[in-house]
Amino acid sequence: MIRKLFIISLNLYVELLDSRICNQVMKKLILVFPLCFLAVFTFAQLHWKDISDTRMPRKILPDGDKIWFCGRGGLTCINKLTEDTVYYNHANSAIPFTRIIDMCLDHSGRLWIVSDSRGIACLEGENWSWYHTGNTPLPNDNAVSVAVDSQNNIWFGFEHFLVKYDGASWQSISLEPMSTILFLPYDIAIDANDRVLIHAEGLWAYDGTNFIQYSGSNSPMLSNYISTIKVLPDGRVWIAHSLFGITVTDFTDWEVYDTLVPGKRLNYVSSFDETSAGHYWLSTTAGDLYYYDGMNWSLQEVQSPVDTLYQVKYLAVDESDQLYISATESARFDGTDWHLLDIEETGFKGYNVNDILHQEDGSTWIATSYSGIQKFFNNEWSAFTMDDVSNLNSNCVTADLTGKVIAGLDHAVSSYEDGSWHRKNLPPDPYFHSEITAMITDPQNTLWAAEYPGLVSMNASDTVFYSAYHGNFPSMTVECLDIDNEGHLLAGSPAAFNIWNGSSWTSYTSNNSPLPSAHINDMAVCEDVIWLATGEGLVRFQNNNWEIYTPDNSPLPDARIQAVDKDSNGVLWIISGFDNLVRFDEQTWEVMDYEHSGILNGLMLDMKVDLANNVWIGGTDCGISIYNENGVILGEEEFQQKTSSEKDWFTVYPNPCTASFRIKSQFPLNGDRYHLTISDMCGRVLADYPLTIQDQLFQMDGPIEAKGIYLVSVLNRQGKIIESRILISR
């Protein structure tokens, strides 16, 4: 039945794809045919790919012949018999969210997962169910913990609430008696009396009617500061305290430990579990691993191929007493040997994507917080975490006109040359000493950097600081930078749109223009049109004419526009709100909301379209989502292979140029008809020339009059094979 529904849904989707009404039809299908959801949703996701960091899961859950791992990068399942690994994320499956905070198995074998922004999901067999405030009487969608009691009631910790699901109805219990503002019960557990345990200013127990508090004042508990709790198979509650020590109790007897082995203080306990023989494993964040053999505690050392345990998040013992550990290197211990666990789906590392740069050679560079600079090329990831001075935790990344990649750091830039990064500190200034948050290179190859309280321009010989303090820039904070088609610098600030013509600034605010009084988050330039992403709408600016799109006069789902970019066909792509992708070709709109797309859950704040028209989307605590309406094309595709293998066959010089330029190529002109096109940055072809010899002169005439950046492409009978940019500076 499911297979037949999939074929029907697939055919219907294909027939409707070009009509741009697929989302509306899918919504109706989901309402009318709930059993079709898996098939329709999965097929739609062929246009999406999610890239997340699956390392260091938050929780490990043994399940017979399977072992489950969950975390911010999704859900991973390893078959312990075959070692086959399956990754679940919002783009490759019907799982309704990727960032998972907690999970548990109920007594029926159903897997429950929770998200801190998307509610609850349940996997029963091969089918997912999704419970959220739109279809269930939940108090909010911020679920952070889950546990099951002996009666198979499922208990969830929500922001401000404890929620019980008995299989038929939902009950929400307010946590106001615990008097903790913005309380998030990140750990709940069920004790031997089916009481729900929650840690907050001590330990609280809910018996179905009342909350009872256990603290240092009415119990021998070592401390009121608790990091995690767990009820082990022997029925006792193990309590890890935030700084040091543990408390173990059945609420009659209490045991407290600030050390387990002589001479070593027990600090920052992260997890614990019990074996079938009644022995215990315990870990600390720093990587200490303790084992209790029924008589004594001892420190255990890992062995090759596991080098070390560090930042241990969780451990679990399965039914065969094998130990699983989540750390910087997740591992399994079978009682004799150590084994590394390969739970990394891709080579991408990190969660916070600050900036995305696409290069003409087909490479993509990602600036991340805490994980350095990530490079994607030929379907492989490389991570750069250090330059020749310090860490490469960057807020932004750009390239100069020669293609050299530059990362913005703390009052410094780092350039990638000859396979390594080289830092250059900015000159001292009495006002500028903070992080660089945005960068762009102008037609003169001058690097502009946004750094509070203003802007910095840098070329080979000079550095200039622009700020209100220096009297040469109208804004203190700059959110984004771009270059218009005439080579002017554009700077978007929290309340102004600034244009630099080479000698002075023109500033547009809500006082002297129709610009909304909101942050300018991003910009995109298409010929003489400048698009501004603001907190109060999408702004179209052309020849001093303003047009503002909001949910009141357009299909935009949210007035908060986080990012905007254009593809090679001149189509505008927009992030509206935090998780809606909008397509706009200046005639029709198409909105892809979270539920009917493969976008990751998180704060999507940055978006860039690459040369294959893949839309890359990144943000805070989420990873990367990629969308292509014609199917995602990455390194394994012909486009990537050709641009990487033929890039050295094609040289444009001089660049920049004025009246003429030359093309030096090594294409074998042996019967294939090659020709060269010059296009504007929106992909509109302005000139088309035959390419007949390896070293050919081209004269800039006809429609190519304005200075700016243009695309030079070589094509054969099969289509475009290579592309480069040229700057016309006359």
Side-chain angles (χ1 to χ4, degrees):
M1 178 64 178
I2 292 295
R3 182 175 182 272
K4 183 180 293 184
L5 287 171
F6 174 79
I7 295 172
I8 295 171
S9 303
L10 177 105
N11 291 335
L12 181 60
Y13 182 90
V14 171
E15 291 174 6
L16 294 172
L17 184 61
D18 289 337
S19 67
R20 305 292 179 198
I21 61 172
C22 175
N23 283 341
Q24 291 84 344
V25 173
M26 284 177 63
K27 290 179 183 178
K28 294 179 181 179
L29 282 172
I30 291 168
L31 292 174
V32 178
F33 305 113
L35 290 177
C36 294
F37 177 76
L38 176 62
V40 175
F41 189 87
T42 303
F43 178 76
Q45 306 306 55
L46 295 177
H47 298 280
W48 286 89
K49 182 177 180 62
D50 286 347
I51 299 174
S52 55
D53 192 341
T54 55
R55 303 170 306 146
M56 296 181 66
R58 296 177 62 98
K59 194 164 186 178
I60 304 170
L61 189 59
D63 180 17
D65 292 337
K66 301 188 293 291
I67 188 87
W68 297 93
F69 304 83
C70 74
R72 289 185 290 181
L75 181 68
T76 302
C77 181
I78 296 180
N79 186 309
K80 292 191 288 187
L81 301 178
T82 65
E83 296 188 357
D84 291 338
T85 303
V86 179
Y87 300 94
Y88 297 84
N89 61 50
H90 190 48
N92 69 10
S93 68
I95 192 172
F97 44 78
T98 297
R99 189 171 73 244
I100 302 169
I101 307 302
D102 197 7
M103 63 179 173
C104 80
L105 285 165
D106 69 14
H107 304 310
S108 303
R110 296 174 298 181
L111 178 70
W112 294 85
I113 61 174
V114 297
S115 167
D116 57 356
S117 63
R118 296 294 174 185
I120 303 165
C122 176
L123 177 63
E124 186 173 9
E126 299 297 326
N127 300 316
W128 285 98
S129 301
W130 185 15
Y131 305 98
H132 52 88
T133 52
N135 62 14
T136 306
L138 295 174
N140 54 68
D141 286 322
N142 304 325
V144 293
S145 52
V146 57
V148 59
D149 67 19
S150 65
Q151 303 303 309
N152 212 26
N153 298 309
I154 317 300
W155 293 87
F156 303 94
F158 277 79
E159 183 178 15
H160 294 300
F161 288 91
L162 187 64
V163 174
K164 175 186 176 183
Y165 178 57
D166 62 8
S169 60
W170 300 82
Q171 179 187 4
S172 295
I173 301 102
S174 173
L175 296 176
E176 288 302 322
M178 302 168 71
S179 66
T180 302
I181 299 174
L182 295 177
F183 174 64
L184 283 169
Y186 273 105
D187 266 329
I188 61 174
I190 310 297
D191 72 6
N193 297 313
D194 266 355
R195 297 186 304 174
V196 183
L197 307 178
I198 310 169
H199 69 77
E201 299 173 3
L203 184 68
W204 294 77
Y206 178 67
D207 62 7
T209 304
N210 300 309
F211 285 97
I212 302 169
Q213 184 184 23
Y214 299 91
S215 67
S217 61
N218 66 0
S219 76
M221 191 183 304
L222 186 62
S223 167
N224 286 343
Y225 300 101
I226 299 172
S227 58
T228 188
I229 55 175
K230 189 174 184 179
V231 179
L232 296 190
D234 64 7
R236 296 193 300 171
V237 182
W238 286 57
I239 304 166
H241 297 285
S242 301
L243 297 178
F244 66 92
I246 59 172
T247 298
V248 181
T249 182
D250 60 3
F251 299 102
T252 299
D253 297 321
W254 297 77
E255 302 171 19
V256 296
Y257 302 91
D258 59 9
T259 184
L260 294 178
V261 297
K264 187 172 180 63
R265 187 178 175 88
L266 184 61
N267 294 330
Y268 303 108
V269 173
S270 59
S271 190
F272 20 67
D273 208 355
E274 182 180 3
T275 72
S276 60
H279 300 167
Y280 302 104
W281 288 97
L282 180 147
S283 64
T284 71
T285 302
D288 294 325
L289 183 62
Y290 293 86
Y291 178 65
Y292 179 73
D293 62 5
M295 297 288 292
N296 299 296
W297 285 97
S298 60
L299 275 170
Q300 303 293 302
E301 292 187 5
V302 297
Q303 299 173 358
S304 179
V306 181
D307 296 328
T308 184
L309 292 176
Y310 184 61
Q311 293 183 352
V312 178
K313 287 184 174 293
Y314 199 82
L315 64 78
V317 177
D318 72 3
E319 298 86 346
S320 302
D321 284 342
Q322 294 190 97
L323 175 68
Y324 290 83
I325 296 180
S326 167
T328 48
E329 289 185 319
S330 294
R332 173 175 63 89
F333 180 58
D334 61 13
T336 303
D337 299 316
W338 286 89
H339 309 269
L340 283 175
L341 292 174
D342 184 11
I343 59 172
E344 185 178 53
E345 183 180 16
T346 70
F348 176 75
K349 296 175 175 60
Y351 305 97
N352 298 321
V353 175
N354 299 325
D355 199 8
I356 303 170
L357 168 70
H358 298 301
Q359 288 281 69
E360 293 172 6
D361 64 357
S363 62
T364 294
W365 300 75
I366 311 289
T368 72
S369 299
Y370 314 116
S371 298
I373 300 291
Q374 313 281 314
K375 177 188 178 183
F376 180 78
F377 185 62
N378 281 338
N379 214 30
E380 294 184 358
W381 286 95
S382 303
F384 304 94
T385 57
M386 301 282 292
D387 60 14
D388 52 10
V389 175
S390 185
N391 295 326
L392 268 175
N393 296 325
S394 176
N395 288 309
C396 54
V397 60
T398 191
D400 67 10
L401 296 184
T402 69
K404 181 172 64 178
V405 178
I406 306 169
L409 306 170
D410 187 2
H411 200 61
V413 296
S414 196
S415 302
Y416 187 67
E417 301 176 81
D418 301 323
S420 59
W421 293 86
H422 305 280
R423 184 173 299 215
K424 177 183 177 182
N425 292 318
L426 274 62
D429 181 89
Y431 304 108
F432 288 77
H433 45 76
S434 59
E435 292 183 332
I436 294 175
T437 55
M439 294 188 301
I440 196 73
T441 302
D442 71 12
Q444 288 72 44
N445 210 27
T446 297
L447 179 67
W448 291 82
E451 180 185 3
Y452 186 84
L455 280 173
V456 185
S457 70
M458 293 167 277
N459 56 34
S461 59
D462 199 13
T463 300
V464 180
F465 294 91
Y466 296 84
S467 74
Y469 294 121
H470 293 292
N472 56 3
F473 185 63
S475 297
M476 299 284 283
T477 302
V478 174
E479 302 286 352
C480 52
L481 295 168
D482 211 333
I483 302 293
D484 71 11
N485 208 40
E486 297 181 351
H488 297 153
L489 177 71
L490 312 176
S493 73
F497 170 48
N498 308 290
I499 303 177
W500 171 254
N501 64 8
S503 59
S504 63
W505 293 95
T506 300
S507 217
Y508 298 97
T509 69
S510 58
N511 295 324
N512 63 8
S513 75
L515 184 69
S517 177
H519 271 69
I520 297 177
N521 299 313
D522 196 14
M523 296 182 286
V525 177
C526 186
E527 296 186 51
D528 59 345
V529 178
I530 301 170
W531 294 93
L532 305 176
T534 81
E536 294 184 6
L538 176 68
V539 177
R540 186 183 191 275
F541 178 66
Q542 182 182 28
N543 299 326
N544 288 322
N545 294 315
W546 301 81
E547 191 169 0
I548 302 170
Y549 299 94
T550 69
D552 294 331
N553 63 5
S554 76
L556 284 171
D558 197 307
R560 296 170 298 175
I561 309 300
Q562 305 296 339
V564 60
D565 201 9
K566 55 174 176 49
D567 64 20
S568 63
N569 299 314
V571 174
L572 204 66
W573 296 92
I574 306 149
I575 297 296
S576 175
F578 292 116
D579 50 22
N580 301 292
L581 179 63
V582 181
R583 182 189 190 276
F584 181 45
D585 60 11
E586 296 206 54
Q587 292 185 346
T588 58
W589 300 80
E590 180 181 358
V591 179
M592 287 160 275
D593 62 14
Y594 176 84
E595 184 172 349
H596 304 101
S597 73
I599 200 168
L600 288 165
N601 54 308
L603 304 180
M604 295 299 178
L605 304 175
D606 191 57
M607 176 181 62
K608 294 292 187 302
V609 183
D610 68 14
L611 295 178
N613 284 340
N614 297 306
V615 183
W616 293 60
I617 308 165
T620 301
D621 203 27
C622 50
I624 302 167
S625 301
I626 304 176
Y627 174 76
N628 192 317
E629 56 190 342
N630 297 312
V632 173
I633 303 172
L634 292 178
E636 67 273 25
E637 298 294 332
E638 181 181 4
F639 168 83
Q640 198 78 357
Q641 294 170 355
K642 286 184 176 179
T643 55
S644 62
S645 63
E646 297 177 354
K647 61 180 180 177
D648 295 329
W649 289 16
F650 179 60
T651 305
V652 181
Y653 68 100
N655 190 5
C657 71
T658 54
S660 64
F661 67 94
R662 302 188 75 90
I663 295 292
K664 186 173 183 179
S665 65
Q666 298 181 26
F667 293 104
L669 305 177
N670 54 1
D672 269 339
R673 181 182 178 273
Y674 288 86
H675 60 112
L676 179 141
T677 64
I678 301 177
S679 310
D680 61 23
M681 293 303 291
C682 291
R684 185 166 59 96
V685 176
L686 304 177
D688 192 324
Y689 305 98
L691 184 61
T692 57
I693 60 176
Q694 269 79 12
D695 196 346
Q696 195 164 336
L697 175 68
F698 295 92
Q699 191 73 28
M700 306 302 297
D701 53 17
I704 309 170
E705 297 177 351
K707 66 180 181 180
I709 299 174
Y710 294 85
L711 300 175
V712 179
S713 306
V714 174
L715 304 90
N716 62 11
R717 291 172 181 172
Q718 285 73 45
K720 184 184 298 183
I721 59 174
I722 199 162
E723 184 174 76
S724 184
R725 295 188 185 190
I726 189 169
L727 172 63
I728 299 173
S729 58
R730 63 185 179 190

